[in-house]
Amino acid sequence: MSRRTGARRRLGSIRLSLVLLALVPSVTLATMWGVTTIQMFSEGLRLRDQTELSRSTGAMGTDATLALQRERQLSAAWMASPRGSRAALDAQREETDKAVAKLVGQADAIEKAPSRISDRLYSVLGSVGSLEYYRDQVDDPTDITPQQALDQYSSIIDDQIHAFQELSQVDDGDLTSQAGPLVGLEHAAELVSREDAQLTLAWPTGHLDDETWTQFTELVNTRRWLVKDQVLPQLTGSAKAQTERILASRDWQTLQAVEDQVLASRNAGAASDRIALPDAQQRWSGAMDTLSEQYEGLIQQQTAGLLQRSADNSDALLLKAALLSAGGLLALLVCVGMSWRITRSLSRRLRGLRRAAVSLAQERLPDVVARLERGETVDPESATTELDYGHDELGQVARAFNTAQRTAVHTAVELADTRRGFQKIILGIARQSQNLVNLQLSKLDTLEREHTDPDILKGLYELDSTASQLRRYEENLVIVSGERPGRSWAEPVALMDILRSAVGEVAEYQRVEVLTDEEVFVAPPAVADVIHLLAELIDNATTYSPAPSPVTVRAGMVAKGLAVEVEDRGLGMSEEDYTSFNEQLAMPPQFDVVALADDLRLGMFVIAQLAHRHGIAVTLRSSPYGGTTAIVLIPHEIVVREAPGGGVKDDDAPQDEKAAVDGRGSTDAERSEAPRGAEHGAAPDPEPRPLVTARTASAA
């Protein structure tokens, strides 16, 4: 497995994956819904704010523009004829002040407007502030010329038109395109009003100077180009119809005719500084009065219509945003609900399948195995529970799981049958071999009692030791088969006899040194198993340590029972091996032919089985000599402190009654399993006996 694949598998459980599968789309949809809703509402609210700003400042600015245009025309008439009536001019100034006051009253709205709009409107308010000075110059021109006074009106009106143009740039493209021609109409009306102001100022003198005529010419040409090429092509609907009707009227034709006469007056041969005006003041004034009213009505009507459409669009946009937001929220809730419902359903089914798998692995199969180990008959079909999860992919997994658990139970039953059969075969062979070995030991015992020749006894003792080892090996097979060895005792056996019997079952018993002064006994049911257990440990010690190094056996009582130490001086084992073997000794493994094929592991298996049977603790650890020390802790339950037969101790008993039984059912005092000779009064063994210290001389 690659590192990357492993990292992906460590991301989490399937349940977490399902939760993420539902959570990620839900969060994504919620985010998209939130962003879309906020954007649509923001656009609607921004358009409504722009509409309110245009209504509060743009419309009022238009009213102020129209009022300033009328006041400019009346101011030009007054400066042309100061001896006329001022009533109309004074009345118009009051109207202009009212319109300007309404515009100034929107200072708060102007402050909140975007900078591109507020800068224009602040310029308008600043110019209006100096209006009184120019009115004084109109009444009594002392500092500036009349044309300069009129130019100030024109400057204020230009600023207002540009501010209205900025106000018309809204987020709605259609409204912006509709506002463009309206701005053009206001500009065209302003150009015509400037023409009127210039002519009104010049009519009494009957001529224009060259500069004024040039300005008039520019105004006329600009207005004609603007109306023909910019305004008319962009107008639509009623605005275009009304504009065309104005342009086709007789008053408009009169206006254009007078303009043409003024433009042509310079070509009549007059001096360039005094260009004579045609005698057309009455026609011009009459046409201007009519056209001004029509222009004002058209501009005010179109401005009001544009503001109403903008308000309607903003309301429609907010309504659309609300409907789409509600619909999106409903769809989001449905999607999230379905996602979580499907996720919970899949997660619940997966948890059920997992619980079934865990139950099989941790409960049903172990129960089946335990029943098989107890020898019970198990029906594979009744021992399995069918899982039904439908016909989808999870259902297919469940059906495959059903097949797997049936196969597992069938296999466990077959393996148990095979193991029981194998164990029966081993047990049968072992029992037959045991009978032969016991017969051989019986005959050897008879021969040992009949002969006193040292050479013959030496050979008999060697055969006796070999037969004892063979009997131990056969008992290993019996233990592996799950049965108990055939040897048994009727009364407790002394510890020294236990140790001597164990040493006697080892090939190299000459290397074993027994050190103990404890006068305790082992309960009869555990005698055979304790002898066998100690013999296996001593045999391992002699096998895995180099000759002629000694193997020391020490025994003594401790707080938790009787402790027997078997210490060799071999090479020892690694810490991992000690840990592995100690775990095996603490918890006996199951029977496995392949695993027990190694002789050392087979011995450990036998030791673990015997120790587990009587609650004996066996621990391996490193010896100070570099080898291994095996510590056998025999619990108090199988240790007898008093000697059998009324508390008579081993040292006080007759020598011929202190021998241990050899396992063949002698009715006299049992024979020791140590090498024979001394207890029968025969000549000493030519081979060295197991070493016994001065403390155990009486027992020897």
Side-chain angles (χ1 to χ4, degrees):
M1 179 189 299
S2 66
R3 181 178 300 177
R4 185 173 181 182
T5 302
R8 286 200 299 267
R9 291 186 180 180
R10 289 193 295 268
L11 286 177
S13 63
I14 294 180
R15 182 180 181 184
L16 178 60
S17 300
L18 290 175
V19 170
L20 291 176
L21 188 62
L23 184 62
V24 171
S26 300
V27 172
T28 302
L29 289 175
T31 303
M32 293 178 62
W33 171 81
V35 171
T36 304
T37 300
I38 293 174
Q39 183 177 2
M40 293 184 65
F41 272 104
S42 298
E43 291 179 359
L45 293 174
R46 189 162 55 249
L47 181 59
R48 187 174 65 180
D49 293 340
Q50 291 172 348
T51 302
E52 292 300 324
L53 181 63
S54 299
R55 192 187 300 276
S56 60
T57 59
M60 294 178 183
T62 300
D63 293 339
T65 297
L66 296 176
L68 287 170
Q69 287 176 348
R70 289 192 294 271
E71 182 177 339
R72 181 179 55 190
Q73 192 273 336
L74 292 174
S75 296
W78 168 255
M79 287 186 291
S81 301
R83 291 180 299 273
S85 174
R86 286 180 51 88
L89 178 60
D90 293 338
Q92 183 57 47
R93 285 181 177 179
E94 291 180 2
E95 294 296 327
T96 302
D97 290 339
K98 291 179 182 180
V100 171
K102 290 181 180 181
L103 182 61
V104 173
Q106 299 300 321
D108 293 339
I110 295 174
E111 183 179 0
K112 298 177 181 178
S115 58
R116 62 182 180 85
I117 298 175
S118 61
D119 291 345
R120 292 287 187 181
L121 292 175
Y122 280 134
S123 177
V124 173
L125 296 180
S127 300
V128 169
S130 60
L131 186 59
E132 289 299 325
Y133 168 77
Y134 290 97
R135 285 177 174 175
D136 293 339
Q137 294 300 314
V138 170
D139 296 339
D140 185 13
T142 57
D143 298 332
I144 59 175
T145 63
Q147 184 61 48
Q148 290 175 335
L150 297 181
D151 289 342
Q152 178 61 22
Y153 284 95
S154 300
S155 176
I156 298 173
I157 294 171
D158 279 343
D159 288 340
Q160 174 55 34
I161 292 176
H162 285 102
F164 183 76
Q165 186 176 10
E166 292 293 340
L167 286 170
S168 65
Q169 305 297 316
V170 295
D171 293 337
D172 192 319
D174 292 338
L175 292 176
T176 301
S177 62
Q178 295 174 18
L182 181 58
V183 174
L185 280 176
E186 285 198 11
H187 196 191
E190 167 61 12
L191 294 176
V192 173
S193 179
R194 289 185 186 181
E195 294 178 27
D196 179 53
Q198 284 191 348
L199 291 178
T200 300
L201 188 62
W203 286 124
T205 62
H207 63 270
L208 294 173
D209 57 27
D210 184 68
E211 181 179 357
T212 305
W213 182 88
T214 301
Q215 292 177 357
F216 181 84
T217 302
E218 291 176 354
L219 292 173
V220 172
N221 292 331
T222 302
R223 188 262 305 161
R224 290 181 177 181
W225 169 83
L226 184 63
V227 171
K228 179 180 178 181
D229 296 336
Q230 298 297 316
V231 177
L232 281 178
Q234 297 182 17
L235 287 174
T236 58
S238 61
K240 185 174 184 179
Q242 293 181 27
T243 303
E244 290 178 344
R245 186 165 56 251
I246 292 174
L247 296 179
S249 65
R250 177 175 297 179
D251 293 322
W252 185 260
Q253 300 300 325
T254 300
L255 188 70
Q256 283 192 320
V258 174
E259 288 176 346
D260 291 338
Q261 291 178 358
V262 174
L263 295 178
S265 61
R266 187 176 182 180
N267 299 326
S272 59
D273 57 344
R274 293 180 62 85
I275 301 173
L277 291 175
D279 187 11
Q281 181 177 1
Q282 296 298 328
R283 289 188 297 149
W284 176 269
S285 298
M288 274 300 302
D289 291 340
T290 303
L291 291 175
S292 296
E293 293 180 1
Q294 293 178 350
Y295 255 117
E296 289 179 7
L298 175 62
I299 291 173
Q300 290 176 340
Q301 178 184 355
Q302 294 302 319
T303 300
L306 181 63
L307 293 175
Q308 186 60 44
R309 287 193 297 273
S310 179
D312 294 341
N313 285 355
S314 64
D315 293 340
L317 186 58
L318 290 174
L319 179 61
K320 180 180 178 181
L323 293 177
L324 290 178
S325 177
L329 179 60
L330 180 61
L332 174 62
L333 294 177
V334 171
C335 180
V336 171
M338 291 183 63
S339 298
W340 283 106
R341 182 175 180 181
I342 294 173
T343 300
R344 289 184 59 189
S345 176
L346 289 175
S347 180
R348 184 170 57 251
R349 296 175 67 192
L350 286 173
R351 286 198 302 270
L353 190 59
R354 175 183 175 274
R355 284 194 296 268
V358 172
S359 175
L360 174 67
Q362 297 181 356
E363 298 176 7
R364 293 201 296 273
L365 280 181
D367 179 66
V368 170
V369 172
R371 290 167 58 190
L372 292 172
E373 289 180 349
R374 293 193 298 267
E376 299 180 11
T377 301
V378 176
D379 181 15
E381 297 299 329
S382 62
T384 59
T385 303
E386 292 289 331
L387 302 178
D388 186 8
Y389 280 81
H391 301 284
D392 58 1
E393 287 78 1
L394 283 180
Q396 295 173 6
V397 173
R399 288 193 293 273
F401 184 78
N402 292 334
T403 303
Q405 68 172 337
R406 283 195 299 269
T407 303
V409 174
H410 275 288
T411 303
V413 172
E414 292 175 358
L415 288 176
D417 293 339
T418 302
R419 184 174 64 183
R420 281 197 294 265
F422 187 75
Q423 288 176 331
K424 288 180 180 179
I425 294 174
I426 294 177
L427 181 61
I429 296 173
R431 289 300 188 191
Q432 294 178 5
S433 300
Q434 268 189 316
N435 293 334
L436 295 175
V437 172
N438 288 336
L439 179 61
Q440 182 181 7
L441 286 172
S442 178
K443 292 186 178 296
L444 287 173
D445 182 63
T446 302
L447 292 174
E448 290 170 2
R449 293 179 186 275
E450 293 176 353
H451 292 278
T452 59
D453 187 314
D455 294 333
I456 295 176
L457 285 176
K458 176 181 178 182
L460 291 176
Y461 292 156
E462 290 177 351
L463 291 176
D464 187 280
S465 178
T466 303
S468 297
Q469 297 173 51
L470 182 60
R471 181 180 60 188
R472 179 165 58 85
Y473 294 151
E474 297 299 333
E475 288 180 352
N476 283 351
L477 296 179
V478 175
I479 295 171
V480 166
S481 302
E483 298 293 334
R484 292 177 177 268
R487 292 185 289 171
S488 63
W489 277 259
E491 293 185 355
V493 177
L495 173 61
M496 190 63 205
D497 293 335
I498 295 287
L499 297 176
R500 292 173 67 188
S501 295
V503 173
E505 295 186 4
V506 176
E508 299 185 49
Y509 62 85
Q510 302 92 338
R511 295 167 52 196
V512 181
E513 185 179 82
V514 179
L515 303 173
T516 183
D517 57 2
E518 294 289 346
E519 298 180 1
V520 295
F521 302 82
V522 176
V527 171
D529 291 342
V530 171
I531 293 174
H532 196 123
L533 186 151
L534 293 175
E536 286 291 336
L537 290 174
I538 296 171
D539 184 63
N540 282 342
T542 58
T543 301
Y544 292 99
S545 63
S549 62
V551 173
T552 304
V553 179
R554 301 181 185 88
M557 293 300 297
V558 294
K560 293 187 177 182
L562 175 61
V564 181
E565 295 185 12
V566 179
E567 183 179 59
D568 64 55
R569 301 187 180 184
L571 297 177
M573 296 183 293
S574 65
E575 291 297 329
E576 292 78 7
D577 290 335
Y578 282 123
T579 302
S580 175
F581 282 120
N582 284 328
E583 290 177 354
Q584 180 178 334
L585 292 171
M587 185 63 64
Q590 296 295 327
F591 176 80
D592 190 340
V593 177
V594 177
L596 300 180
D598 181 75
D599 183 62
L600 177 60
R601 293 188 178 274
L602 177 60
M604 290 298 173
F605 177 81
V606 172
I607 294 170
Q609 294 292 339
L610 296 175
H612 182 69
R613 185 179 298 168
H614 300 285
I616 299 173
V618 181
T619 306
L620 302 180
R621 68 182 184 184
S622 178
S623 167
Y625 299 104
T628 299
T629 299
I631 302 175
V632 180
L633 181 61
I634 303 173
H636 290 291
E637 288 77 9
I638 60 176
V639 177
V640 180
R641 302 287 296 187
E642 296 181 357
V648 179
K649 294 198 176 179
D650 190 58
D651 291 340
D652 301 329
Q655 180 69 28
D656 58 343
E657 292 184 5
K658 287 162 47 178
V661 72
D662 61 356
R664 296 189 291 275
S666 301
T667 57
D668 296 326
E670 313 287 6
R671 299 175 57 249
S672 171
E673 296 304 326
R676 298 158 175 77
E679 66 271 37
H680 303 303
D685 291 341
E687 293 292 328
R689 315 306 293 169
L691 299 179
V692 181
T693 65
R695 291 176 296 174
T696 59
S698 61

